[in-house]
Amino acid sequence: MKYIPLLFTLLLTLQTGLAEEVNVYSGRKEALIKPLFDEFTNETGIRVNLVTGKADALIKRLELEGENSPADLLLTVDAGRLYRAKEQGLLQAIISAHLNEAVPENYRDPQGYWYGLSIRARVIVYSRTRIEPAQLSTYEALADPVWHKQLCVRSSDNIYNQSLVASMLAHHGAEQTERWISGLVGNFARDPKGGDRDQIKAVAAGQCNLALINTYYLAGMLNSDIDTEAAAANRVALFWPNQQGRGAHVNVSGAGVTRSARHKSAAVRLLEFLVGIPAQEWYGKTNHEFPVREGVAGDSILQSWGAFKADSLNLAVLGENNQAAVRAMDRAGWK
């Protein structure tokens, strides 16, 4: 079995002489992206060869393959990972007026190495029966002693939490952020474990009263065919933090053209397709993520949560501050 990835890489490499194709390494599951690629092929005639895998493993694979990599486009989640791929020299800058017009400046690399494709917010969910929304306000306030042993959250090795801390470093500096993390850790109801869906289920089960989660997990559970998931999701409610200040922390799924791309023009064309209005609408309806393109409505669940103010921080900063965030979390005892 260990030879299969190498064989697939070889097959893709042999195909690179064909002009009308693009090879994509995707950290997103096939079901969440392939229908868009099929539509792109129908419209353009350009075949998309898709390799899916764990996001960090694909970045490592690109690094090991180097200039011999068959990949033309890296698609992954979290600006921190996109920044890492850029810093490792795995991506190349591109120039596209279409992308620059469609993707707001804070959701793309300042030098054109990567572009956001959809937006996700990391927010507070709370128990509908035990917490009043008037008790909530900001991320910073979650460190207050009033929330002692009431917060559930996943571990510090999760990049979504690392990026949240990286944004706090950008806004507050190292000393204040580390105090905040220490207060947050003191309010954990249990040792961090599981994914965001597990945090929602823990609030619903009364193991904690609050949790930090990405919005699309809650939307997916509300829309789930699994009765227990939908029931758990309906026992919690969403709160948009920091609406009187900088706004809620947001992040992106995004993509960049690889340094080794042999089908660069096709890769750019695919990127431009993914920020088009039909693709952006599909992201909202299927993935429950907010469109990165302004003026495109999300699905009914997203709309039910109402408009919110998002942090305008350029997301490249999340990558720049990632290692400092990890060190601060370690020092403060966030397991």
Side-chain angles (χ1 to χ4, degrees):
M1 295 297 292
K2 66 180 180 179
Y3 298 107
I4 291 177
L6 293 175
L7 177 60
F8 195 88
T9 295
L10 177 60
L11 290 173
L12 286 182
T13 302
L14 291 173
Q15 291 174 343
T16 55
L18 302 175
E20 293 301 305
E21 66 178 1
V22 58
N23 300 322
V24 179
Y25 282 6
S26 173
R28 309 215 67 171
K29 295 179 180 178
E30 182 173 327
L32 299 179
I33 196 68
K34 190 176 185 299
L36 281 178
F37 291 165
D38 291 342
E39 184 59 32
F40 172 74
T41 298
N42 290 337
E43 288 189 14
T44 66
I46 300 173
R47 185 173 70 246
V48 179
N49 302 311
L50 177 63
V51 175
T52 60
K54 296 290 186 181
D56 293 335
L58 288 175
I59 291 175
K60 184 64 176 178
R61 179 171 173 173
L62 272 175
E63 180 185 3
L64 293 173
E65 291 172 341
E67 295 294 341
N68 295 319
S69 176
D72 301 304
L73 194 71
L74 173 68
L75 194 155
T76 190
V77 294
D78 200 280
R81 287 194 179 102
L82 290 161
Y83 176 87
R84 188 193 315 158
K86 172 191 172 182
E87 290 301 294
Q88 291 178 211
L90 305 178
L91 304 178
Q92 62 174 289
I94 60 172
I95 298 173
S96 168
H98 181 82
L99 286 169
N100 289 341
E101 180 181 354
V103 182
E105 187 174 359
N106 55 314
Y107 299 140
R108 51 184 163 90
D109 178 72
Q111 299 169 309
Y113 281 86
W114 55 263
Y115 289 82
L117 301 176
S118 62
I119 299 170
R120 59 269 301 280
R122 194 150 189 80
V123 299
I124 301 168
V125 291
Y126 62 94
S127 167
R128 290 183 180 273
T129 58
R130 300 185 299 276
I131 299 294
E132 293 294 330
Q135 296 175 261
L136 303 171
S137 56
T138 64
Y139 299 104
E140 289 83 351
L142 293 178
D144 291 348
V146 68
W147 300 117
H148 184 64
K149 301 297 183 183
Q150 296 192 56
L151 177 66
C152 279
V153 67
R154 64 198 295 175
S155 69
S156 62
D157 64 6
N158 173 252
I159 198 164
Y160 304 151
N161 286 333
Q162 293 170 8
S163 289
L164 173 61
V165 173
S167 75
M168 297 290 283
L169 285 168
H171 288 295
H172 298 304
E175 185 176 344
Q176 187 174 338
T177 297
E178 199 157 332
R179 285 200 302 271
W180 172 73
I181 300 171
S182 295
L184 207 67
V185 170
N187 289 340
F188 287 173
R190 62 181 188 184
D191 287 342
K193 62 179 179 178
D196 281 12
R197 289 174 184 260
D198 296 302
Q199 315 314 315
I200 294 167
K201 293 173 184 177
V203 175
Q207 297 173 23
C208 45
N209 290 331
L210 309 170
L212 285 168
I213 59 107
N214 281 0
T215 47
Y216 56 88
Y217 288 108
L218 178 59
M221 289 177 67
L222 288 168
N223 199 46
S224 177
D225 294 330
I226 302 172
D227 291 342
T228 54
E229 281 205 348
N234 278 293
R235 293 192 190 104
V236 308
L238 178 149
F239 183 83
W240 296 109
N242 297 75
Q243 293 302 283
Q244 304 306 311
R246 66 180 182 276
H249 169 69
V250 294
N251 210 316
V252 291
S253 73
V257 177
T258 66
R259 183 185 63 193
S260 62
R262 294 173 175 83
H263 306 100
K264 179 179 177 180
S265 61
V268 173
R269 194 169 175 185
L270 177 55
L271 264 179
E272 292 174 342
F273 171 83
L274 292 174
V275 299
I277 292 174
Q280 289 288 292
E281 289 176 341
W282 190 90
Y283 260 117
K285 292 176 183 177
T286 305
N287 299 349
H288 305 296
E289 293 176 285
F290 295 95
V292 73
R293 186 176 185 137
E294 295 178 354
V296 179
D299 77 341
S300 58
I301 294 177
L302 303 185
Q303 292 182 42
S304 73
W305 292 333
F308 71 98
K309 180 180 180 181
D311 191 344
S312 62
L313 187 72
N314 188 290
L315 298 187
V317 174
L318 304 184
E320 294 170 7
N321 289 347
N322 177 266
Q323 290 305 303
V326 171
R327 290 192 295 269
M329 296 165 91
D330 286 344
R331 286 192 296 267
W334 189 335
K335 298 179 181 178

